[in-house]
Amino acid sequence: MCGLIAAFSRLDISDASMQRGLQSMYRRGPDGEGVWKAAGVFMGHRRLAVIDLDKRAAQPMHSVCGRYVITFNGEIYNFKELRTELEVDGVKFQTTSDTEVILCLFAKEGAKMLPKLQGMFALVIWDQVTKRTFVARDPYGIKPLYYAASLEGVTLASSVKALMATGEVSSEPCPHGQAGFWLLGSVPEPYTWYRDVKAIPAGFMAWIENGQMTELKSWFAVE
């Protein structure tokens, strides 16, 4: 199942708060834990090893060139076909994981890669050169991805519980989400039970730069 948490801020990020969020997702990924940090950046992952069981396939994962870092939850069903196409173009792989295929495809095509991914996914990719972050969710919304934004930055996670566990997100209720629950029996996206937590809608993507998230848009419209 796996679980991810990531934060991008113009201020220092509390390791302790992010570790609390990461540990709250232990059951999503009991096979391992990974963390990568830089100034104003924290990326964490709880791993449920399925495809490539080797430690080299652990996350957060760096691209061979060192420019990109990914934390990803999901499974890409056609990753072997995509890998073969990339190898024909001269791309060298260090693992047999679908995670590395996403990373290499993004390095080559950017957001235009999304329609090629057949599967379920929630992904966060940090570009160390442009200092921008790319986030996206699969078209059916099978894999969850939530975020909490403030004037200082954006925190994302695979669960609302993880965001709340950081202690950095307000527990003020969201009237739209709670009304939806009592009327419909479930909280309608993009709302959640909490005012400051939203879901990335299924099939949507966004960029984060200088601690601020761009407008979410459907990635089917990517040119």
Side-chain angles (χ1 to χ4, degrees):
M1 183 161 50
C2 297
L4 68 84
I5 189 167
F8 305 92
S9 177
R10 290 180 290 191
L11 303 177
D12 291 337
I13 296 172
S14 168
D15 282 359
S17 64
M18 296 301 291
Q19 285 288 350
R20 287 195 298 269
L22 189 58
Q23 289 303 316
S24 74
M25 295 186 290
Y26 175 83
R27 292 185 178 181
R28 295 185 67 93
D31 294 332
E33 174 185 305
V35 168
W36 182 80
K37 298 176 289 184
V41 178
F42 183 104
M43 300 176 73
H45 187 262
R46 289 294 324 181
R47 186 184 186 195
L48 178 64
V50 176
I51 295 177
D52 186 337
L53 306 185
D54 196 283
K55 290 183 178 180
R56 63 186 178 178
Q59 298 182 48
M61 180 183 288
H62 292 252
S63 61
V64 175
C65 66
R67 175 172 176 173
Y68 303 101
V69 187
I70 185 173
T71 182
F72 153 73
N73 172 31
E75 182 178 354
I76 306 303
Y77 307 136
N78 65 330
F79 82 95
K80 291 183 179 179
E81 291 84 353
L82 294 172
R83 178 191 175 108
T84 298
E85 293 175 6
L86 288 165
E87 286 177 328
V88 169
D89 290 339
V91 177
K92 304 296 183 183
F93 288 87
Q94 297 180 323
T95 75
T96 58
S97 69
D98 53 352
T99 307
E100 189 178 13
V101 171
I102 296 172
L103 200 52
C104 292
L105 195 59
F106 181 80
K108 180 183 177 184
E109 302 184 11
K112 293 181 180 179
M113 73 167 181
L114 289 173
K116 294 183 177 182
L117 302 180
Q118 298 174 13
M120 50 185 179
F121 57 86
L123 57 88
V124 178
I125 301 175
W126 165 249
D127 184 335
Q128 298 199 77
V129 174
T130 64
K131 307 302 181 184
R132 300 176 75 205
T133 308
F134 179 71
V135 301
R137 190 178 176 201
D138 70 74
Y140 300 105
I142 299 173
K143 290 301 180 181
L145 186 58
Y146 301 94
Y147 70 97
S150 69
L151 294 176
E152 291 77 29
V154 180
T155 304
L156 306 103
S158 294
S159 71
V160 174
K161 178 182 178 181
L163 291 174
M164 302 310 297
T166 66
E168 304 289 337
V169 179
S170 171
S171 60
E172 286 292 317
C174 172
H176 300 292
Q178 296 194 8
F181 175 80
W182 296 117
L183 291 172
L184 306 173
S186 61
V187 178
E189 292 187 350
Y191 305 111
T192 69
W193 197 257
Y194 303 101
R195 181 195 65 195
D196 292 342
V197 179
K198 298 288 190 300
I200 302 285
F204 273 65
M205 53 164 274
W207 294 87
I208 300 171
E209 187 170 9
N210 294 323
Q212 300 298 302
M213 182 181 287
T214 63
E215 180 182 0
L216 287 158
K217 65 178 182 179
S218 169
W219 48 258
F220 293 103
V222 174
E223 298 180 356

